[in-house]
Amino acid sequence: MMSKTFIRTVKNLERSQFEILRLRIMAFIFALVAGGLFIIMIGYNPVELYGTIISGAFRSKMAIQATIKIMIPLLMSSLGVTLAFKMKFWNIGAEGQIIMGAVFSSYFALFHSNLPHGLLLLIMFVAGFIGGGLWGLIPAIFKTRHNTNETLFTLMLNYIALHVISFLRDGPWKDPGSSGFPKIARFVTNAQLDKVFGIQFGWIIGIILVVIIFIYLRYTKQGYEINVVGESQSTARYAGMNVKKIILRTMILSGGICGLTGVIQSAGSDMTLAASVAGGVGFTAIIVAWLANLNPVGILLVSFLFSILEKGSSVMQSTYGLSTYSAAVLQGIILFFILGCEFFVRYKFVFGNKGGARS
Amino acid sequence: MIKFINFLVAAVFAGTPLLFGTLGEIMNEKSGHLNLGVEGMMSMGACAGFMVGYLTDNFLIALAAAFIAGLLGALIYAVLTVTFMADQNVTGLTLTIFGIGISNFIGEYMIVNSHTNSLKLPEVISQQVKNIYISGLSDIPVLGQLFFQYNPFVYIGIITAIILSIYLNKTKTGLNLKAIGENPASADAAGIKVTKYKYFNILLGGGICGIGGAYCSLIINGGVWMSNSVNGLGWIAVALVIFASWSPVRAIFGSFIFGGFNVLKYYFPKDIFTFPNAFYDMLPFVITALILVITSVRKSKKNTRPASCGINYYREER
């Protein structure tokens, strides 16, 4: 279609912030309409279903708490991957980093649970950060040394991490007290996160992280370095930055934050180390980070929106018998439209005659 | 010995869905598009293939449905990355999440609406996807078992790989495509219709991935619908493209070798040494990671990723 010159694409750089926001909101509305068409196709009323999603997420105090509980890991891991994405390092491995964070911290939760509560939790968080950080560091080392494709490498590490859990569950960490399917023992109360306002205190950590990452990216030297590496590695090198060091450091942070997510999920929500500790959150986090334009405050908003979707879709399941995967479908549709709309932020179509003047 | 032959045969069976996924991704990457949506397109194919097979009881229609489903997934990807120049990584990932989501969603929707607890393929189609018995050939000891008793998918996969190899290396269209993958601007200057080529080959690749998905749902799970039926095979396929160094014929061997890793658990002699199950499950992913490292360390100039892969082509910016 481009070759026929009836419609040409030209750069359009003069969009104001307001116009860009309007475009994105329009894309979001289009996405809801497209989702609605899908709902009509399977024989339901879209207005009714969308209503159920929103009311389902807020219908009671418990529902709101559940929504926040879903939001915590999503928010934190989105912040984690954002650091890597800012420097165009494709960390698709949040899932595995969450798992390794949970595994490292679970060791202390399971076998050193007699430590004083505060100290134990502190050790668990440090261990979780190290676990996730290591899992993020491995692909970064190979990326900086040999330019190994990090997208696929981090992905493979997800699956490897998943099987580390099943190895521990079936063997060394198997709960001798459980009959039937092997599982890992429930954490004792001493190793569980405390609740604040009825929700595990991970939500406080999440909000603090939003502020920290916001400041880190915008006002610190390291944050600036990440931005420059993301824009152009040669520019960074020319400016005398140690690109390798920046990549390694940022990936430890990125993986480490995802590792903290694993601690919060296992010790705050699951109360054990389950194979589903990441449960696809690491992938959804990528969508969230991207939709929020890698902006920490935006991530807070989008992850809240997405947890409404997730919580609402579970209500939709109990009310209409529709699968909770509807959340993933809607999330996908929304991102498709936003991705498409980015085009109109940067370019525009020009309708003209064949052979018209170039602009 | 018999056990070893059984192992080889099982490796071929387990490697076939990988073969389709790998071939599909090769077509994408040859046109300059790194499509991380293989897992999603395969899931869509798995769902469409199974559901249409379940409803029509006809293998060929099911196969066509799987192809079309994969193609539609690829169409989303192509519209976004070719026309709208969206980021290829994010678009592919979203396609994966969307594809898995929608196929699991439709699967559960079908189960709820069929008022049963599970969906099982009807008799006729299960017969059609059974291993083909060729009288005379299949009876030859060892060779017959090794070569002439697979289900139709295996043969379709190998034939597809050979056809694609001829297409890429011997036809003008295929050579044009390779030129686009290496340098779309030069190809465009030479009068090759870049956009048209990209669309055609990305869609073709998606369709092939869809067939691989149908294998997962129709064969691997024994004719019963299961959620997440592709279960990471699509991701291994993306990595296998590197292992096969973008050659459809090498993809055949690569897929079967990886199929071997997938089934090693059941054939490794337990009396020598027993590894935990998790070790075997981990193995294909560990080896894929190792291959990524090894190929990046070797960095040979021959057989590398098409140069423009991952970068969108914007005509006015050359």
Side-chain angles (χ1 to χ4, degrees):
Chain A
M1 87 202 248
M2 286 194 322
S3 57
K4 283 219 171 105
T5 343
F6 290 121
I7 306 168
R8 287 191 305 122
T9 24
V10 293
K11 274 216 164 136
N12 181 5
L13 302 167
E14 307 99 58
R15 293 242 189 244
S16 66
Q17 283 293 319
F18 176 72
E19 262 185 302
I20 293 172
L21 187 71
R22 208 188 56 190
L23 268 171
R24 295 216 172 105
I25 292 173
M26 261 171 62
F28 182 70
I29 293 169
F30 274 123
L32 289 186
V33 172
L37 287 178
F38 174 71
I39 295 170
I40 292 172
M41 253 166 55
I42 57 170
Y44 291 89
N45 179 350
V47 179
E48 206 177 296
L49 285 199
Y50 284 142
T52 312
I53 290 178
I54 293 171
S55 65
F58 296 108
R59 62 178 168 181
S60 66
K61 196 178 160 210
M62 256 180 67
I64 297 171
Q65 285 177 349
T67 309
I68 305 282
K69 229 168 132 179
I70 295 170
M71 180 182 167
I72 300 166
L74 199 53
L75 169 67
M76 290 187 56
S77 46
S78 306
L79 292 171
V81 294
T82 295
L83 290 180
F85 281 9
K86 272 267 174 190
M87 53 175 199
K88 301 239 163 69
F89 186 101
W90 296 103
N91 178 16
I92 317 296
E95 197 86 354
Q97 290 145 16
I98 294 172
I99 291 177
M100 289 320 275
V103 167
F104 273 49
S105 71
S106 293
Y107 168 74
F108 293 97
L110 290 168
F111 303 107
H112 296 280
S113 56
N114 47 359
L115 288 166
H117 184 61
L119 181 67
L120 176 62
L121 290 192
L122 185 68
I123 293 176
M124 281 167 63
F125 275 108
V126 172
F129 186 88
I130 293 173
L134 272 179
W135 221 238
L137 180 64
I138 300 169
I141 290 174
F142 286 105
K143 174 76 180 179
T144 50
R145 287 250 174 100
H146 306 294
N147 200 23
T148 307
N149 182 322
E150 78 277 16
T151 319
L152 291 170
F153 201 120
T154 47
L155 228 133
M156 294 305 133
L157 287 177
N158 288 345
Y159 289 96
I160 295 170
L162 196 63
H163 293 301
V164 167
I165 289 197
S166 58
F167 165 71
L168 293 169
R169 182 196 58 202
D170 295 346
W173 290 8
K174 188 177 159 188
D175 181 10
S178 80
S179 53
F181 284 113
K183 61 177 175 57
I184 291 168
R186 200 180 152 83
F187 295 170
V188 294
T189 324
N190 194 34
Q192 296 178 4
L193 299 192
D194 304 270
K195 286 188 172 162
V196 180
F197 299 125
I199 314 166
Q200 52 125 320
F201 73 74
W203 66 271
I204 299 176
I205 298 179
I207 290 171
I208 294 172
L209 261 181
V210 172
V211 178
I212 293 178
I213 304 277
F214 182 79
I215 294 170
Y216 180 76
L217 281 176
R218 192 163 287 192
Y219 298 110
T220 67
K221 180 167 164 269
Q222 296 193 355
Y224 176 71
E225 286 175 338
I226 291 176
N227 276 314
V228 177
V229 171
E231 287 299 324
S232 154
Q233 294 208 1
S234 18
T235 309
R237 226 168 272 127
Y238 191 67
M241 293 178 191
N242 186 343
V243 174
K244 287 185 179 180
K245 197 180 113 193
I246 296 167
I247 291 179
L248 294 177
R249 183 182 65 208
T250 311
M251 271 312 286
I252 293 177
L253 286 177
S254 173
I257 293 172
C258 293
L260 292 181
T261 313
V263 181
I264 283 169
Q265 186 62 23
S266 59
S269 292
D270 300 344
M271 307 307 179
T272 181
L273 178 62
S276 60
V277 57
V281 164
F283 288 113
T284 317
I286 297 162
I287 298 191
V288 172
W290 202 259
L291 275 178
N293 225 356
L294 305 184
N295 177 328
V297 182
I299 288 173
L300 187 69
L301 249 145
V302 177
S303 59
F304 184 55
L305 193 79
F306 268 37
S307 11
I308 294 173
L309 254 177
E310 302 247 343
K311 172 65 186 137
S313 69
S314 73
V315 175
M316 213 152 78
Q317 182 175 40
S318 51
T319 322
Y320 298 97
L322 288 174
S323 153
T324 48
Y325 285 106
S326 54
V329 175
L330 279 175
Q331 286 162 359
I333 293 177
I334 293 171
L335 187 53
F336 282 144
F337 275 87
I338 297 282
L339 279 168
C341 119
E342 290 305 304
F343 171 84
F344 295 98
V345 172
R346 285 177 294 140
Y347 306 92
K348 62 181 175 193
F349 285 130
V350 172
F351 299 88
N353 294 326
K354 207 165 185 175
R358 285 181 167 239
S359 58
Chain B
M1 183 64 195
I2 287 171
K3 196 158 187 197
F4 184 66
I5 290 168
N6 284 341
F7 168 63
L8 291 182
V9 171
V12 170
F13 279 123
T16 302
L18 292 172
L19 175 58
F20 284 105
T22 310
L23 292 175
E25 179 66 11
I26 289 177
M27 295 318 287
N28 273 277
E29 293 196 13
K30 282 286 179 190
S31 48
H33 284 249
L34 175 69
N35 189 345
L36 297 180
V38 175
E39 179 88 5
M41 296 186 291
M42 283 177 77
S43 298
M44 290 166 84
C47 179
F50 187 94
M51 294 311 161
V52 170
Y54 176 76
L55 296 171
T56 63
D57 205 0
N58 184 311
F59 174 60
L60 285 178
I61 299 178
L63 208 61
F67 186 87
I68 291 168
L71 185 144
L72 288 177
L75 180 64
I76 300 176
Y77 176 86
V79 169
L80 285 174
T81 58
V82 178
T83 303
F84 287 152
M85 292 179 270
D87 186 279
Q88 296 184 8
N89 278 317
V90 180
T91 310
L93 275 167
T94 315
L95 179 57
T96 289
I97 294 172
F98 173 79
I100 297 173
I102 199 161
S103 57
N104 288 346
F105 180 84
I106 292 174
E108 288 189 22
Y109 176 80
M110 290 289 288
I111 290 176
V112 169
N113 284 301
S114 69
H115 304 290
T116 48
N117 290 327
S118 68
L119 300 175
K120 188 157 183 8
L121 286 179
E123 195 53 34
V124 178
I125 190 167
S126 338
Q127 285 301 321
Q128 284 168 335
V129 296
K130 266 222 172 105
N131 299 345
I132 302 170
Y133 175 83
I134 311 162
S135 68
L137 289 176
S138 300
D139 293 327
I140 307 169
V142 183
L143 286 180
Q145 201 195 356
L146 266 179
F147 296 107
F148 301 111
Q149 49 95 38
Y150 295 110
N151 60 49
F153 279 102
V154 177
Y155 301 110
I156 296 173
I158 294 172
I159 292 168
T160 311
I162 294 169
I163 292 174
L164 287 183
S165 180
I166 296 169
Y167 167 63
L168 284 176
N169 298 315
K170 303 275 183 246
T171 67
K172 189 166 168 248
T173 336
L175 294 173
N176 284 347
L177 176 69
K178 278 167 113 176
I180 291 171
E182 294 301 335
N183 190 336
S186 316
D188 196 359
I192 301 171
K193 300 217 177 323
V194 175
T195 309
K196 202 172 100 188
Y197 267 83
K198 284 191 170 195
Y199 264 93
F200 177 78
N201 289 288
I202 291 172
L203 297 193
L204 177 68
I208 296 172
C209 289
I211 294 179
Y215 187 94
C216 299
S217 58
L218 293 175
I219 309 274
I220 293 182
N221 296 338
V224 181
W225 171 255
M226 278 189 209
S227 287
N228 297 320
S229 47
V230 180
N231 203 14
L233 291 179
W235 288 117
I236 297 187
V238 176
L240 258 173
V241 173
I242 300 171
F243 185 68
S245 51
W246 294 268
S247 147
V249 171
R250 274 192 294 265
I252 302 176
F253 300 104
S255 312
F256 292 163
I257 291 171
F258 266 73
F261 290 129
N262 275 340
V263 295
L264 192 63
K265 176 161 65 172
Y266 309 106
Y267 295 92
F268 192 80
K270 296 269 189 300
D271 41 338
I272 299 175
F273 195 82
T274 34
F275 293 104
N277 267 343
F279 171 83
Y280 292 105
D281 295 336
M282 206 186 272
L283 196 62
F285 303 105
V286 173
I287 299 204
T288 310
L290 282 178
I291 286 166
L292 287 172
V293 172
I294 294 166
T295 44
S296 63
V297 171
R298 275 212 341 251
K299 251 187 246 144
S300 68
K301 280 270 174 283
K302 240 181 101 190
N303 304 328
T304 52
R305 186 181 291 270
S308 83
C309 198
I311 308 155
N312 289 327
Y313 173 54
Y314 178 45
R315 202 178 198 203
E316 317 259 322
E317 209 170 54
R318 51 189 160 156

